[in-house]
Amino acid sequence: MDRREFLRLCGLGVLAALGLAGCRLPRPSGEKAAPQTPAPYTPPPMQAAPARGPDLAVVEGDNYEELLEKGLEAMGGIARFVQKGNLVVLKPNFSVPRAPEEACTTSPRLVAALVKKCLEAGAREVRVIDHPFFNGETCLEKTGMRRAVREAGGKVYVLDALNDRYYTRVEIGGQALREVHFSRDVLEADVFINMPILKHHVATKLTMGLKNMMGLVWDRGVFHARGLHRPIAELAAFKKPHLIVMDAVRGITSNGPTGPGPIREFRRLILGTDPVAVDAYGARLFGLDPAEIEHLRLAAGMGLGQMDLSKLHTVNVFL
Amino acid sequence: MGKKGRLPRTQFRVAALSFVVTVLLFWQLKYPLRDGSAVLVWLTRLDPLLWLGRAAREGSFPSWSWLPLAVVLATLLAGRVFCGWLCPVGGMLAILEKAKLGFKRPAARVPLLEALRYPWLALLLALWLAGSGWPLLLTPYALLGHELARIWSGRVPYLLLVLLAVGIIFFPRFWCVYLCPSGLFFSLLGAVRLWRFTAGGACTGCGACAKVCPSLSREPCPGGSGSQCLVCGRCREACPVGAVSWAGPGGAPREEYGLRGSPQTRRQFLAAAGAAVLGLALGELLARPAAGEVLRPPGALPEEEFLAACARCGRCIKVCPTGALEPLPLAFGPAAFETPRLVPRKGRCELCLLCQEVCPTGAIARVPLEEVKIGTAELDRRRCLVWGEGVLCLLCAEQCPMGAIALDGLGRPVVLVERCVGCGACENGCPVEGAAIHVRRRAGEGAAARGRQRYGWPRHRYRGGER
């Protein structure tokens, strides 16, 4: 080993030591490093934001636009549910060809107001859908839904044909319901808002949010053949809306769901994120014990929501 | 040429427009109905045969009688103006002729058929008087609608194929000259017309006019097509010496073929009389009600009157928003073949009553909803899920628009016969294979019978009802 070789080895040794030591050095703090290595961009969550607000908001009055304005405010604002660029799907009940005054269908004024709210909140598109059991054209026309939604800037149509555009075959895996053709719009939506009307129903006593979900299914004969209540509860477990806005301003109290029937003024708009709680409030408002509605009892038993209204954080607003 | 050539061009344009407009208006027959449907109704009123049929059946003249009367008057004065200028089927044939789609022009008409024209008309009129609506189907508006409805619903438009086939084999306007009942009726009226195309002294008998005549003039002169003349003016345009003119009363020789002053007249009359007898006999056969139970659209006249009044024009089938109406198959007898029936399993009646609005003959009468009675739902308790298995189904009760399904003490569905209008919502939705509830038409129950019984409508207004 000559002198030159010794020096080179020493130099390598020093470099190696420095290198090893460098691995142990404390990492530079984030604040300092940020300008040099920016953190990867994560987009804001597309799904509805986690609950920030009450479970239930009940607004009393009869001006639909005002009811919705105050109701959404009480729930924490539309921004709690709809973010910029979202695809929003609304499911009102316009299953029967009756004029809005006949109180058998969700108010088109209310639906139009919510369409506007969603668009204002930055929604990319708002679709309003139903699978009426009457003819779709007559329903769209006579309920005034087509005109109202189009004027508000949304799209409105009926799921009146079994095709890939409207329906997707989904596993429900329940006792009564194994698989059904379910609305593709709802499955693809960023935000799904259920908009039932509170009214009488000859078979299930009342039709509200959970029953309204049947309007997203093509093959409903099996619901009837299996006794309605259990299939309804199992469907509710399959898909939970991000928000429920129930039109309980006016509704028929018998001859439901098709009507015409005697109309009662409930003068309420019920908003909530808990599908069982909203329906339970509706049942109380109608004058029934929520437990009398079997699909509600089944759904609560399946852990889909709270049927005991005293356990909920409710905001009441009176106009 | 210049000015003279304008008439055939205008005639072609008007006729072609009439065809296009009629087709577009027919296509617009859907829920919700637009103003165009009223235009279609008014166009259809131009046909005096449909008008006469309605007036005879109802025993009174409708308020719009001036329109078909104006057409009749025009025909008496100037011949088949309607056929040449306004008829949509004529317009279609004119377009096809212009486009030269396979049409050829043999030199002569068909002599055998020449003698059979009026006997054929007599046969159709007798058949119709005997209570069959079949002849009405051959009138232009009904024919076109019927074929369009068949195309729309994916069925074979067989009459259209026949019409085109005879046009290709013989000559384009074969249908108009030999088969169309409205056209033959106009020919009959037009025989006495005052204005017509005639050849003057300068005529050289060259036959140029006969070559261009759409109804195939039999003689080398403009009078050769007789009262079949479609008033198109092509003969005047084609005449090399300008001998053809549109001449008024007194200005023209009266030569007619086949009707006046012709040796054929008596033979034709006898043939026509024979055909009429045959028509009446056939009518007895063809006016029999449908074999088997048939549900009719809401407001339909009682069965016999319905068969006599319905022109099978297909408008109700086209307009029905649920597609619940279909033409009756031949299995139900020749009389009722092609008339509309309601099939609840295919679609429920939405009680929108648009079929009443679009019906051009009044076979589906304009009856308010309270008076509609299509039939009555009958529940088969052995098959019903609620009655049989205790399942909470109640789809029928849920969907009944009349509140005609009540629940008994045990929550089982029961039909309230008085309330039921027979719309078939229950039958349509029933989840049982083949349905456990069916709409049936009871004896004496017309699609509007309920109202008539209640309000005592004058049945004598409907001739068929008395027979």
Side-chain angles (χ1 to χ4, degrees):
Chain A
M1 184 186 283
D2 59 6
R3 192 183 59 181
R4 191 173 290 172
E5 201 176 350
F6 171 77
L7 282 173
R8 208 178 71 207
L9 276 172
C10 283
L12 278 172
V14 170
L15 274 175
L18 276 173
L20 282 169
C23 291
R24 285 202 175 170
L25 278 174
R27 280 166 176 260
S29 75
E31 279 163 70
K32 268 187 183 172
Q36 287 157 352
T37 53
Y41 170 73
T42 47
M46 293 297 279
Q47 282 296 319
R52 275 186 284 113
D55 307 311
L56 206 60
V58 181
V59 195
E60 191 179 339
D62 37 28
N63 181 329
Y64 289 103
E65 291 81 9
E66 212 175 339
L67 284 171
L68 186 72
E69 184 75 42
K70 302 283 177 200
L72 285 173
E73 207 174 284
M75 286 299 291
I78 186 76
R80 176 181 162 191
F81 304 99
V82 180
Q83 264 80 48
K84 199 166 168 20
N86 278 177
L87 168 63
V88 183
V89 171
L90 311 184
K91 164 62 179 82
N93 180 342
F94 56 97
S95 196
V96 292
R98 301 245 178 248
E101 304 80 57
E102 292 179 273
C104 299
T105 53
T106 309
S107 159
R109 267 176 67 191
L110 178 68
V111 178
L114 188 51
V115 168
K116 277 185 197 154
K117 278 275 163 206
C118 293
L119 290 173
E120 279 166 26
R124 158 165 56 98
E125 190 180 327
V126 183
R127 298 177 188 165
V128 178
I129 55 169
D130 195 3
H131 172 205
F133 49 76
F134 277 75
N135 174 255
E137 279 300 306
T138 43
C139 289
L140 282 168
E141 199 65 27
K142 289 195 182 166
T143 59
M145 200 59 78
R146 172 149 51 200
R147 224 180 117 190
V149 173
R150 280 193 183 163
E151 279 174 8
K155 284 187 182 168
V156 57
Y157 47 91
V158 289
L159 313 176
D160 59 355
L162 180 59
N163 56 36
D164 290 343
R165 164 70 191 82
Y166 290 158
Y167 292 103
T168 305
R169 195 156 184 79
V170 296
E171 289 280 328
I172 304 293
Q175 282 176 33
L177 220 52
R178 290 206 185 82
E179 43 179 29
V180 292
H181 287 96
F182 192 79
S183 164
R184 202 176 133 180
D185 292 304
V186 172
L187 294 174
E188 287 177 353
D190 299 311
V191 183
F192 164 46
I193 303 177
N194 194 7
M195 300 190 73
I197 178 175
L198 170 64
K199 64 172 174 176
H200 174 256
H201 192 285
V202 64
T204 58
K205 292 182 183 166
L206 288 181
T207 164
M208 299 176 290
L210 298 192
K211 179 76 180 65
N212 195 36
M213 296 283 287
M214 261 177 84
L216 297 167
V217 173
W218 171 257
D219 29 13
R220 288 185 296 221
V222 66
F223 279 68
H224 288 268
R226 306 260 160 84
L228 285 171
H229 290 301
R230 186 160 285 281
I232 290 171
E234 288 175 358
L235 185 70
F238 168 73
K239 185 76 195 174
K240 192 182 161 190
H242 298 106
L243 174 67
I244 300 116
V245 178
M246 178 146 77
D247 176 1
V249 177
R250 304 166 77 240
I252 53 170
T253 54
S254 74
N255 291 346
T258 296
I263 297 167
R264 197 167 133 199
E265 311 259 345
F266 299 105
R267 303 187 73 247
R268 298 287 198 291
L269 188 72
I270 306 163
L271 300 92
T273 49
D274 178 336
V276 179
V278 171
D279 281 16
Y281 193 99
R284 277 256 181 271
L285 189 62
F286 197 90
L288 291 175
D289 180 354
E292 280 183 67
I293 316 293
E294 201 185 325
H295 59 257
L296 217 48
R297 200 165 47 74
L298 287 170
M302 289 159 78
L304 299 179
Q306 183 55 261
M307 206 165 69
D308 186 349
L309 296 172
S310 63
K311 290 184 181 159
L312 290 166
H313 174 202
T314 308
V315 177
N316 285 295
V317 184
F318 301 93
L319 290 182
Chain B
M1 294 241 316
K3 200 178 170 188
K4 285 185 197 166
R6 234 182 261 162
L7 190 68
R9 268 208 307 277
T10 315
Q11 180 251 6
F12 170 75
R13 282 178 193 163
V14 171
L17 185 71
S18 161
F19 168 68
V20 172
V21 164
T22 309
V23 171
L24 288 179
L25 289 177
F26 189 87
W27 230 251
Q28 285 298 311
L29 291 179
K30 57 187 173 195
Y31 186 92
L33 216 49
R34 293 178 205 290
D35 297 341
S37 75
V39 178
L40 191 59
V41 166
W42 275 97
L43 280 177
T44 312
R45 288 173 177 172
L46 287 167
D47 189 336
L49 274 195
L50 289 179
W51 163 68
L52 279 175
R54 188 170 185 149
R57 198 180 62 248
E58 296 186 352
S60 62
F61 290 104
S63 59
W64 42 268
S65 296
W66 59 268
L67 187 64
L69 277 173
V71 174
V72 166
L73 186 67
T75 312
L76 288 171
L77 292 176
R80 294 177 65 168
V81 190
F82 172 84
C83 304
W85 291 70
L86 296 174
C87 174
V89 174
M92 176 180 71
L93 292 171
I95 291 171
L96 292 173
E97 188 188 10
K98 197 99 169 172
K100 296 196 170 60
L101 289 179
F103 283 121
K104 55 181 183 183
R105 280 180 58 98
R109 296 215 260 187
V110 189
L112 176 69
L113 292 175
E114 207 63 30
L116 286 179
R117 277 186 302 157
Y118 294 110
W120 168 248
L121 178 63
L123 177 86
L124 290 180
L125 291 179
L127 201 57
W128 169 59
L129 281 175
S132 166
W134 262 109
L136 298 176
L137 170 57
L138 303 182
T139 61
Y141 287 104
L143 176 83
L144 190 63
H146 178 263
E147 296 311 293
L148 288 174
R150 287 190 77 87
I151 292 169
W152 175 77
S153 59
R155 296 181 172 93
V156 179
Y158 59 88
L159 279 172
L160 193 67
L161 294 179
V162 168
L163 193 141
L164 295 179
V166 294
I168 290 167
I169 296 168
F170 299 102
F171 61 101
R173 294 295 197 122
F174 183 94
W175 181 272
C176 314
V177 172
Y178 295 118
L179 295 174
C180 174
S182 300
L184 290 173
F185 179 68
F186 283 131
S187 288
L188 206 58
L189 294 178
V192 300
R193 69 197 188 282
L194 299 175
W195 277 271
R196 66 189 69 202
F197 283 108
T198 41
C203 175
T204 58
C206 69
C209 50
K211 279 187 190 134
V212 295
C213 180
S215 41
L216 223 59
S217 173
R218 286 185 301 151
E219 298 282 322
C221 84
S225 63
S227 56
Q228 308 297 320
C229 173
L230 298 173
V231 207
C232 67
R234 286 194 220 173
C235 47
R236 187 172 66 174
E237 185 198 13
C239 184
V241 294
V244 179
S245 62
W246 178 246
R254 291 281 174 93
E255 331 171 38
E256 284 299 339
Y257 293 85
L259 257 186
R260 289 185 153 204
S262 149
Q264 286 188 12
T265 310
R266 199 182 59 165
R267 203 184 297 166
Q268 278 218 351
F269 179 79
L270 287 173
V277 173
L278 182 68
L280 287 170
L282 267 176
E284 280 309 307
L285 190 72
L286 285 180
R288 284 202 193 129
E293 189 191 66
V294 172
L295 298 177
R296 295 296 186 189
L301 301 174
E303 188 66 16
E304 275 192 20
E305 298 167 48
F306 185 79
L307 287 179
C310 174
R312 287 94 163 137
C313 70
R315 291 184 195 177
C316 51
I317 293 170
K318 171 71 180 71
V319 84
C320 180
T322 62
L325 297 178
E326 66 167 31
L328 207 60
L330 191 55
F332 285 80
F337 182 44
E338 298 280 24
T339 52
R341 73 155 163 181
L342 179 76
V343 187
R345 267 321 226 185
K346 275 185 73 186
R348 51 196 286 169
C349 173
E350 294 275 314
L351 302 172
C352 67
L353 307 185
L354 291 195
C355 47
Q356 296 182 1
E357 272 183 62
V358 301
C359 180
T361 63
I364 308 173
R366 294 203 177 195
V367 171
L369 184 58
E370 302 81 57
E371 296 169 16
V372 165
K373 186 76 175 170
I374 301 167
T376 308
E378 285 175 14
L379 181 70
D380 184 349
R381 293 181 177 177
R382 287 164 305 170
R383 304 200 64 212
C384 174
L385 291 174
V386 187
W387 281 86
E389 298 170 33
V391 176
L392 180 78
C393 170
L394 297 182
L395 190 136
C396 49
E398 172 189 292
Q399 305 206 357
C400 177
M402 304 309 291
I405 298 198
L407 306 189
D408 70 359
L410 295 169
R412 298 172 302 194
V414 187
V415 178
L416 303 178
V417 176
E418 281 305 302
R419 282 194 173 196
C420 178
V421 296
C423 72
C426 48
E427 184 176 342
N428 180 257
C430 182
V432 174
E433 185 76 32
I437 189 162
H438 293 276
V439 180
R440 305 241 186 263
R441 200 165 157 180
R442 300 176 174 194
E445 206 172 62
R450 198 168 68 143
R452 286 190 203 177
Q453 280 157 10
R454 191 189 294 164
Y455 298 105
W457 279 25
R459 286 187 69 85
H460 60 82
R461 275 176 63 203
Y462 302 94
R463 281 193 356 177
E466 290 177 18
R467 292 191 304 121

